Amino acid sequence: MTGKFITLDGVDGAGKSTHLGFVADWLRQQGKEVIVTREPGGTPLGETLRELLLHREMDADTELLLMFAARQEHLAKLILPALARGAWVLSDRFTDASYAYQCGGRGIAVERIAALEAWVQRGFAPDLTLLFDVSPEVAEARRSAARAADRFEREADSFFTRVREAYLVRAKADPGRIRVLDAGHSIAELQAEIGQLLQGLM
Ligand code: TYD
């Protein structure tokens, strides 16, 4: 028996974290064991790498490699064992964020990210990705209303415009897995849409 792997992604300020609890509750109501986790992070070592990634200045390739080092640890120690015993795993961000931020945002060649993905994931991918899409203006307003900005959140609007575009390009290339949700909709509307998508996995 294996569980399913669901990821939530989108630019900072799209509101994905708001919906994480809803997805977890929905699945638990179906009797699933649910593990909620996040990237970068999710393991003790991964959380240490997260602190560095969010707050220390570093070269863009170093950033990419640390993202995948954290991801390797996350897969090996938490995600794959949980799925193998039948739990469902819900992650706040995963590899689509590396394509969006490190490729789209920082400008690293897509082949480099694809090579690391192949190394670390060996063909493994989420069963469903909820991509929260929102205009740069709304995302920026939500970011400024939130707590102190980390290294990514301090980037210019043009960075987030490129990140958003990269997410949408990925969604277009893999529409079966990546479902784009208009984060401008009300929370109730989004929850109805999310419920339908989850129903499709049952
Ligand atoms: P985020 O989910 O935004 O954390 P919080 O809601 O607590 O601010 O994730 C932290 C940042 O990490 C976010 O700005 C995007 C970035 N990130 C990447 O650049 N690449 C990646 O592969 C991942 C997983 C995250």
Side-chain angles (χ1 to χ4, degrees), residues 68-69 71-72 75 80 115-122 124:
F68 272 95
R71 185 161 296 134
Q72 167 65 37
L75 282 162
L80 297 177
L116 289 167
E117 179 183 25
W119 178 352
V120 166
Q121 291 168 228
R122 300 181 176 93
F124 173 82

Side-chain angles (χ1 to χ4, degrees), residues 12 16-17 38-40 50 54 63 67 71 92-99 101-102 147 150 152-153 160:
D12 291 275
K16 69 184 162 46
S17 303
R38 68 175 180 181
E39 287 209 350
R50 179 189 178 91
L54 265 49
E63 178 182 287
M67 289 290 178
R71 185 161 296 134
D92 190 342
R93 298 194 186 280
F94 194 61
T95 304
D96 296 307
S98 298
Y99 282 94
Y101 284 77
Q102 280 68 52
R147 71 228 177 303
D150 62 40
F152 292 98
E153 291 160 344
F160 290 104

Side-chain angles (χ1 to χ4, degrees), residues 37-51 53 66-67 69-71 73-75 78-79 91-93:
T37 186
R38 68 175 180 181
E39 287 209 350
T43 63
L45 177 60
E47 290 293 326
T48 301
L49 293 173
R50 179 189 178 91
E51 274 306 302
L53 281 161
L66 289 181
M67 289 290 178
R71 185 161 296 134
E73 192 69 9
H74 198 198
L75 282 162
L78 190 143
I79 299 173
S91 186
D92 190 342
R93 298 194 186 280

Side-chain angles (χ1 to χ4, degrees), residues 23 31 46-47 62 66-67 73 78 87 108 111 126 130 147 152 156 166 171 174 180 185 192-194 196:
V23 175
E47 290 293 326
T62 308
L66 289 181
M67 289 290 178
E73 192 69 9
L78 190 143
I108 296 177
E111 292 78 16
L130 302 176
R147 71 228 177 303
F152 292 98
D174 196 356
V180 182
H185 288 175
E193 292 171 46
I194 293 167
Q196 288 208 335

Side-chain angles (χ1 to χ4, degrees), residues 3 21 85 164:
R85 65 163 201 272
R164 179 195 195 192

Side-chain angles (χ1 to χ4, degrees), residues 7-202:
T7 64
L8 281 73
D9 240 304
V11 294
D12 291 275
K16 69 184 162 46
S17 303
T18 308
H19 298 285
L20 199 70
F22 172 78
V23 175
D25 289 345
W26 195 98
L27 292 171
R28 286 185 181 121
Q29 275 166 18
Q30 309 292 309
K32 308 292 181 198
E33 179 195 351
V34 181
I35 308 284
V36 178
T37 186
R38 68 175 180 181
E39 287 209 350
T43 63
L45 177 60
E47 290 293 326
T48 301
L49 293 173
R50 179 189 178 91
E51 274 306 302
L52 299 174
L53 281 161
L54 265 49
H55 303 294
R56 288 279 288 274
E57 288 309 316
M58 63 183 75
D59 175 77
D61 283 308
T62 308
E63 178 182 287
L64 173 65
L65 290 164
L66 289 181
M67 289 290 178
F68 272 95
R71 185 161 296 134
Q72 167 65 37
E73 192 69 9
H74 198 198
L75 282 162
K77 300 280 170 62
L78 190 143
I79 299 173
L80 297 177
L83 294 173
R85 65 163 201 272
W88 285 48
V89 179
L90 194 55
S91 186
D92 190 342
R93 298 194 186 280
F94 194 61
T95 304
D96 296 307
S98 298
Y99 282 94
Y101 284 77
Q102 280 68 52
C103 176
R106 304 272 190 237
I108 296 177
V110 69
E111 292 78 16
R112 293 201 155 193
I113 296 160
L116 289 167
E117 179 183 25
W119 178 352
V120 166
Q121 291 168 228
R122 300 181 176 93
F124 173 82
D127 295 287
L128 172 69
T129 295
L130 302 176
L131 175 57
F132 293 87
D133 181 57
V134 74
S135 73
E137 296 74 30
V138 173
E140 154 65 12
R142 289 185 188 161
R143 281 197 299 278
S144 357
R147 71 228 177 303
D150 62 40
R151 203 164 59 81
F152 292 98
E153 291 160 344
R154 289 195 299 272
E155 288 291 340
D157 290 356
S158 56
F159 176 88
F160 290 104
T161 302
R162 293 196 303 277
V163 169
R164 179 195 195 192
E165 284 310 311
Y167 271 127
L168 292 175
V169 165
R170 282 198 60 77
K172 223 170 168 183
D174 196 356
R177 171 175 69 87
I178 306 179
R179 310 305 296 258
V180 182
L181 294 160
D182 182 343
H185 288 175
S186 72
I187 289 180
E189 283 170 318
L190 283 163
Q191 289 183 347
E193 292 171 46
I194 293 167
Q196 288 208 335
L197 292 171
L198 295 175
Q199 196 66 58
L201 286 182
M202 294 297 120

